[in-house]
Amino acid sequence: MNNGYLNFKMIFNLNFIFFLRQWKTLLFSLIFLIINLIFQIVLINLKNEFIDASSTAILILSNLFNYLFIGIFSIILTSTLFKSSTTLNILNMEQRHGINKNIMFFTRILFILAFLYLLIIINLITSLFFLIGNEDTNRTYYYYVIKPYLILLFITIFYVSFSVLIFSYFKKNSASIINSFLVFILSFSGLFNYIGKQIISSSPVDDVKRMSEVNVKINMGYEFYEQYKNDEYFKDIFIAPNFAKNIWNASGEQKINLATFFHEYGNTLDPETARFYKMGQILNVKSDETTEEILQDDLIINDGNKILGSFAFDTYEVLKDWKSPYNLEMMPMNIKNSNKINFDTKYFIKELKKDNKYWNKYSDLILFLNKRKLFFFQYGRYMNLYFKNNIGSDFGEWESSNKTEKQLKVNEFYKNAPEYLLFSQMLFTYWAYSMKIPLNSNKIYTENYFGESFTFENYNKIFIKNNVESFLNIFTFNSFLNEVNIDNNFNSDYISNIGPMNNYKTLKSRFDLKNVKEDIDRVQNDETSQLSTDSSIFDQGIKPKEKGIFLIIYIYLFYIILDVIFIFFANRKFKKNIYS
């Protein structure tokens, strides 16, 4: 045992000294570290901006560079330690000293892995220095910049084991070409997967993208319902039989239809209604009120749902004399603010905590929404979860000149506490989706390329078919491992299907909707059909059916089994070559 360790240590040190003398290898490593540091600095903007086309290109380039570099470097190291003339002389010397063949073989593999891991871990450590500031925005940086390094540690084992296998059975030049081909395939697997999906799928990938969006919206309603269905106070939020009858838009000319809220073209709503629906202005007051003081009964939302009305009014009461360090122009609903976005709500929450009575009543709700705001505002713009408008100095309920004192006060409050709008529109959206399944507002594209509403049968058919294709498609594996898993599988499915990193068009999770099949089919061809708000549709027992963990386990086992097989046969051939 002691001799084995000493032999291992000796061989490891010999290889270490040998590599220190390879100035090209050291230069290659330094270039890798410097380029990654540049990528990390550039990508720090992800913490404060939307992920747009430019940042997407940088993310793709960064990951492509790392996969190619580690793959090519593993080929160079394997070739040097197993096929170079110097190594062959060292192997002969080790053999004459009676060193165990397994020690000779595995020491070299461990040295290659140690060297590559050192480079990756250095990059990992430098990237951690950029995890400063807001906790929520750090999550974006973690998933897009830091997590790929962790996955690369795992993929490196596959690179090395395959490379050693090929060099064991083929001549140096041939082995280098074969290994380079594998590196190229793995590095561009996301692109190959996307092209493959386009070719082999019998329907366009838009089906999967649309379904992932539907699942996110259903899950928003499900999460909100599960969180508050048994809450002593908030459980009544799901009982709103007069919502459709009593809620009027700002002009008072048209009753609001809850179904309109889910329409994918919601940005075409008239500006006044759009503000109420999509911009969190649930403090808006009735136009016939002329007194200066704002009361809960004055709120439009209060006539439709008194729990929503209480939240809107109580939050206003706590914050009416407070001024946020941020302004409306920094909020995500500002169309001028196409990239920059403020996610930091610590000052807003700190102010709310000062009122013990308020915080005891609403703390769970505030924290529930705060935890989910990153995904909502980072990706919600693609799903029309909130409405972007041109926010200027006259932003508010009405653009007309005859504002009442109350309307002016409400407008001023929105300007002073813009975070109020963020939380209010999140609350209204989550509540709305807890009352209605949004399948009727989405289209799929069948083999005939005609848009059809989602039906219960279509929903399950698309999921099953996609899962079978994904299970058999190895090009999806790296995409799965690098997925951005914000909060839950439904969110990660959606992010993966819209990019920016993988665009692999795969679903891991769905809902069991058999109990609401009739409701879904009843509105499938009527996008303005109004479902009842007498109770939540989740009262009927809708449950998620998440299968993502099994696919992830399958992928890891797939790689691990291949690694073991590659190492086994490589070691076997290595011993045979040594003896010959």
Side-chain angles (χ1 to χ4, degrees), residues 227-244:
Q227 185 79 8
Y228 298 109
K229 65 179 180 180
N230 297 319
D231 187 275
E232 183 177 352
Y233 174 73
F234 282 104
K235 64 182 179 181
D236 291 337
I237 201 172
F238 304 111
I239 303 174
N242 297 320
F243 185 85

Side-chain angles (χ1 to χ4, degrees), residues 53-211:
S54 60
S55 55
T56 295
I58 297 173
L59 284 166
I60 294 174
L61 184 62
S62 172
N63 280 267
L64 179 61
F65 170 77
N66 287 333
Y67 270 83
L68 285 172
F69 179 91
I70 293 298
I72 294 173
F73 212 3
S74 68
I75 297 173
I76 295 173
L77 295 175
T78 305
S79 173
T80 302
L81 291 183
F82 282 91
K83 285 291 186 178
S84 69
S85 57
T86 303
T87 297
L88 293 177
N89 292 331
I90 295 175
L91 286 171
N92 289 330
M93 181 186 69
E94 293 170 1
Q95 187 178 7
R96 288 194 300 269
H97 282 76
I99 297 177
N100 185 281
K101 307 301 183 297
N102 285 327
I103 294 178
M104 295 166 61
F105 176 79
F106 284 103
T107 301
R108 283 168 169 79
I109 289 182
L110 290 175
F111 179 83
I112 295 171
L113 288 174
F115 191 88
L116 294 175
Y117 271 30
L118 177 63
L119 296 179
I120 298 172
I121 290 173
I122 290 175
N123 283 316
L124 185 61
I125 292 173
T126 58
S127 67
L128 292 175
F129 285 112
F130 296 105
L131 285 180
I132 55 177
N134 186 272
E135 178 182 351
D136 293 310
T137 54
N138 280 338
R139 284 196 294 166
T140 302
Y141 192 80
Y142 166 78
Y143 281 117
Y144 283 118
V145 180
I146 297 177
K147 185 180 178 181
Y149 290 129
L150 299 176
I151 301 302
L152 193 56
L153 290 172
F154 179 76
I155 298 298
T156 298
I157 302 176
F158 180 75
Y159 274 144
V160 173
S161 61
F162 183 82
S163 182
V164 172
L165 175 70
I166 299 302
F167 275 109
S168 298
Y169 282 88
F170 295 89
K171 293 182 178 180
K172 186 175 180 178
N173 291 338
S174 300
S176 297
I177 294 173
I178 296 173
N179 281 316
S180 298
F181 181 73
L182 172 73
V183 170
F184 178 82
I185 292 294
L186 282 178
S187 300
F188 290 91
S189 61
L191 176 62
F192 292 142
N193 172 65
Y194 180 77
I195 295 173
K197 285 280 188 179
Q198 296 279 22
I199 295 173
I200 67 175
S201 180
S202 59
S203 60
V205 292
D206 296 76
D207 290 6
V208 178
K209 180 180 177 180
R210 290 291 186 130
M211 185 169 171

Side-chain angles (χ1 to χ4, degrees), residues 536-554:
S536 170
I537 197 168
F538 289 92
D539 285 340
Q540 301 179 48
I542 300 172
K543 298 290 182 183
K545 299 173 68 174
E546 301 190 39
K547 302 295 183 182
I549 186 63
F550 299 109
L551 190 53
I552 295 297
I553 293 174
Y554 162 72

Side-chain angles (χ1 to χ4, degrees), residues 22-35:
Q22 304 293 316
W23 67 270
K24 291 182 179 180
T25 301
L26 298 177
L27 179 62
F28 202 40
S29 303
L30 184 61
I31 292 173
F32 174 70
L33 296 175
I34 292 174
I35 292 178

Side-chain angles (χ1 to χ4, degrees), residues 36-55:
N36 267 272
L37 182 61
I38 293 173
F39 278 132
Q40 292 167 15
I41 295 173
V42 172
L43 290 171
I44 199 172
N45 287 328
L46 290 178
K47 298 176 65 176
N48 303 307
E49 297 181 357
F50 285 117
I51 299 175
D52 57 12
S54 60
S55 55

